[in-house]
């Protein structure tokens, strides 16, 4: 699994011009599921998401996790995170998990993050054509891949 976390002032997901989900300060998380990913990948990424210290402390140092600042999380499934661009100019999505695998893992990731936060995680709609709006704070953008545990 691969996620892109952006520290945001606000973020929202709209479908057909209607706002589906919106958050204030916190994290916007794009979630991509590869074939071969398991619940262990979702768990590891949920732990990372909740514990990632990307919010400023009293000294202005990125030293606090989203849980310490009362931030919200908006998670959106995004199969294009699995894209391979090694050959040619058209991305290949052959690594993307099929919906019957990726939807449960996306939902599991969201549930696990919510458990760690002690509050619900706002979500997009799996497979929908969504318009995502956000105000990146910093900007701070972090990419985490469960297959590259650095």
């Amino acid at each position: 699994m691969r996620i892109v976390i952006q520290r945001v002032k606000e973020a929202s997901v709209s479908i057909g011009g209607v706002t589906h989900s919106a958050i204030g300060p916190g994290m916007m998380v794009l979630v991509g599921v590869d074939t071969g990913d398991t619940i262990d990948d979702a768990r590891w990424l949920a732990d990372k998401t909740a514990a990632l210290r990307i919010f400023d402390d009293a000294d202005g140092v990125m030293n606090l996790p989203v849980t310490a600042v009362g931030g919200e999380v908006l998670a959106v499934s995004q199969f294009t995170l699995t894209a391979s661009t090694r050959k040619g100019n058209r991305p290949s999505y052959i690594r993307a998990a099929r919906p019957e695998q990726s939807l449960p893992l996306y939902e599991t990731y969201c549930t696990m993050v919510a458990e760690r936060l002690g509050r619900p995680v706002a979500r997009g709609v799996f497979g929908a054509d969504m318009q995502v709006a956000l105000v990146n704070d910093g900007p701070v953008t972090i990419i985490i891949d469960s297959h590259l545990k650095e």
Side-chain angles (χ1 to χ4, degrees):
M1 287 178 74
R2 183 175 297 156
I3 61 174
V4 175
I5 295 176
Q6 296 181 339
R7 186 177 74 181
V8 297
K9 294 283 189 184
E10 61 185 43
S12 64
V13 171
S14 297
I15 301 169
V18 177
T19 301
H20 174 76
S21 295
I23 63 167
M27 296 174 155
M28 167 70 199
V29 184
L30 304 174
V31 182
V33 180
D34 290 327
T35 57
D37 285 340
T38 68
I39 195 167
D40 290 333
D41 294 290
R43 182 179 298 109
W44 187 81
L45 287 171
D47 289 342
K48 279 292 200 186
T49 300
L52 194 63
R53 297 178 351 184
I54 61 170
F55 294 89
D56 293 347
D57 62 16
D59 296 322
V61 177
M62 284 196 293
N63 199 29
L64 300 174
V66 67
T67 54
V69 299
E72 298 177 277
V73 174
L74 171 58
V76 175
S77 62
Q78 186 168 357
F79 79 93
T80 60
L81 289 180
T82 67
S84 173
T85 57
R86 291 179 194 239
K87 283 177 62 177
N89 294 317
R90 182 175 181 189
S92 168
Y93 303 107
I94 193 138
R95 294 188 330 208
R98 302 284 310 150
E100 52 273 8
Q101 177 192 6
S102 55
L103 176 56
L105 284 175
Y106 163 72
E107 292 290 340
T108 297
Y109 166 81
C110 292
T111 299
M112 289 178 170
V113 172
E115 289 169 355
R116 285 147 182 79
L117 293 178
R119 65 167 54 188
V121 168
R123 302 175 191 201
V125 174
F126 187 89
D129 181 14
M130 298 173 274
Q131 293 71 53
V132 178
L134 62 102
V135 177
N136 194 317
D137 182 19
V140 175
T141 303
I142 309 290
I143 301 169
I144 305 174
D145 189 318
S146 64
H147 299 276
L148 303 172
K149 295 179 175 139
E150 301 174 306

